[in-house]
Amino acid sequence: MNMSNQISCTDRVRLVNATRSRRVLVATKAMSENGTPQRPKTTIHKLVDYFGAITVPGCYDALSVKILQQSGHQAALVSGAAVSATQLGEPDLGLLTPPEMVRRTSQICNSVPTFPVIADIESGGGGVLNVQRTIKSLMAAGASGCILEDQAWPKRMGTIRSVVPQEEFLSKIAAARQVIGDADFFLVARTDARNTSAKRGLEEAMIRANLFTEAGADAHLVGGLRSIDELRMVGEHTGGLRVANMVEGGVTPICSTAQLQDMGFHLVCYPLSSLYAATRTLVDVYGGLAATGTSQDSWENMVSWRAFQDILGLEDKYATEEHFNSVQGPASNIEHKLRKVKGLVKPHTRSDN
């Protein structure tokens, strides 16, 4: 994109943002029934306030999120593509259902209690009622947030995608906002409008990002950005908190969290890095076993038995078990006191014999 195109694009974005249509403003006002001007800050907001920008790696099961947490990260993303691959063995074409995603997210959250987990719910399962049900289920599962996207159904992969009308997605944001209320739940609105047109896609994506933030999303994610210049433009010409999506092999250049923070981003997601790495190791180990009949050549790429048990917290489980097995429970104490009152338990006397 040359400079003249950049200028015309950004000017149009400013113009559209300055002259919102009446129907969009009505949808925005309908977002909150209680009229509260400012919602309480969520855990994710507080992390961004403290760190400026945070790296949010992807996970796909209880083990991967344990390793993620123990590595020192502040939050995790449950990637829909990763769960589709690991749970169904299928590509990211919308075959994973919201209840399946909720169940996997619940397992992940139970594995790391109190650790912030954001779930990718794609379109939310259908219309506004589906979105509300999905988010309620995620909140009950212990999730700290979700990513809701405007891609049209059926879902497509690659660089050519279609999106639902703005008003339809604004209704979903309003519905989501209603069920979230003041809960500690972070709502990210994703737009895939960049992938709808090489000429006007970026402009449309930035307009949508601003609309979605005004309508009640806590942050926005513009998918499919093609260059550093496009990342910078989103950082300069959109408001609110911004989420960058870093997919190895995708169209968006891979940048560090520090670089993206300088461009104006606040959350930097790496949804598939861990799955790609695990897959590479599985291919090598299984291939080696098939070729040689032994795992000896792969030992250097494996963790030891001891290290694996440390990740799972085996010693802590043993300590907990020992603690409770060595303590007489309250029911036994009460029974002993009753028996003593009834004279069934003789007081201990010292024998001189």
Side-chain angles (χ1 to χ4, degrees):
M1 181 180 291
N2 60 39
M3 185 58 67
S4 62
N5 286 338
Q6 287 188 24
I7 293 172
S8 63
C9 175
T10 56
D11 284 345
R12 283 194 296 268
V13 171
R14 290 193 190 99
L15 178 61
V16 172
N17 289 338
T19 57
R20 304 293 189 203
S21 68
R22 183 176 298 276
R23 59 186 174 181
V24 169
L25 290 176
V26 169
T28 303
K29 288 179 181 178
M31 174 269 298
S32 175
E33 291 186 352
N34 59 20
T36 304
Q38 186 166 351
R39 300 181 297 273
K41 288 191 174 183
T42 67
T43 296
I44 302 298
H45 281 106
K46 294 173 184 177
L47 287 170
V48 171
D49 286 346
Y50 184 81
F51 292 101
I54 59 173
T55 305
V56 186
C59 63
Y60 46 88
D61 61 13
L63 175 61
S64 62
V65 78
K66 274 185 178 291
I67 298 171
L68 185 158
Q69 181 195 41
Q70 293 170 20
S71 299
H73 291 284
Q74 286 77 45
L77 170 68
V78 186
S79 162
V83 174
S84 182
T86 57
Q87 181 167 312
L88 305 180
E90 297 285 0
D92 187 25
L93 294 174
L95 299 174
L96 183 74
T97 65
E100 289 172 325
M101 187 62 171
V102 169
R103 281 194 295 272
R104 178 57 62 90
T105 301
S106 177
Q107 294 166 350
I108 288 170
C109 291
N110 286 334
S111 176
V112 286
T114 74
F115 188 70
V117 173
I118 300 171
D120 172 16
I121 62 170
E122 300 181 343
S123 66
V128 293
L129 297 180
N130 303 87
V131 168
Q132 288 193 327
R133 185 183 181 201
T134 299
I135 290 180
K136 284 179 182 178
S137 299
L138 278 178
M139 292 168 66
S144 296
C146 73
I147 299 177
L148 180 66
E149 67 183 36
D150 66 357
Q151 187 176 169
W153 196 264
K155 183 173 182 177
R156 302 292 298 171
M157 294 181 67
T159 57
I160 303 299
R161 304 184 184 190
S162 57
V163 294
V164 300
Q166 290 180 7
E167 291 76 11
E168 180 179 333
F169 195 70
L170 288 168
S171 297
K172 287 188 174 184
I173 294 175
R177 196 74 264 163
Q178 183 187 59
V179 297
I180 294 170
D182 291 337
D184 184 6
F185 194 86
F186 191 80
L187 176 62
V188 180
R190 169 175 174 151
T191 178
D192 280 295
R194 175 64 186 88
N195 293 314
T196 61
S197 168
K199 201 169 190 180
R200 299 290 296 275
L202 178 60
E203 173 191 342
E204 173 67 14
M206 290 193 290
I207 291 170
R208 283 179 175 242
N210 284 322
L211 288 174
F212 297 165
T213 301
E214 289 187 8
D218 294 302
H220 61 74
L221 188 165
V222 177
L225 297 176
R226 303 298 201 273
S227 65
I228 298 294
D229 285 342
E230 291 193 1
L231 285 163
R232 289 199 178 104
M233 289 180 70
V234 169
E236 292 172 2
H237 300 292
T238 61
L241 298 182
R242 305 175 192 91
V243 182
N245 201 40
M246 300 285 103
V247 178
E248 296 81 2
V251 297
T252 305
I254 300 296
C255 302
S256 70
T257 298
Q259 290 172 319
L260 287 161
Q261 182 178 6
D262 289 341
M263 297 180 206
F265 289 87
H266 305 89
L267 287 83
V268 181
C269 298
Y270 285 83
L272 296 174
S273 305
S274 59
L275 181 59
Y276 286 170
T279 302
R280 175 74 267 173
T281 299
L282 290 174
V283 168
D284 291 344
V285 171
Y286 289 148
L289 283 170
T292 66
T294 178
S295 64
Q296 287 179 321
D297 294 338
S298 302
W299 285 357
E300 62 181 17
N301 295 322
M302 298 182 185
V303 297
S304 66
W305 183 91
R306 180 73 268 166
F308 188 70
Q309 300 308 323
D310 287 345
I311 291 170
L312 297 177
L314 178 63
E315 291 301 323
D316 290 339
K317 298 299 182 185
Y318 281 158
T320 300
E321 184 180 47
E322 183 178 355
H323 169 74
F324 285 105
N325 285 341
S326 64
V327 175
Q328 189 176 35
S332 298
N333 290 335
I334 293 172
E335 181 183 1
H336 183 81
K337 289 177 182 179
L338 289 174
R339 288 167 60 83
K340 186 174 181 180
V341 169
K342 294 178 180 179
L344 299 176
V345 177
K346 301 295 185 182
H348 178 73
T349 56
R350 181 178 177 181
S351 174
D352 293 332
N353 298 330

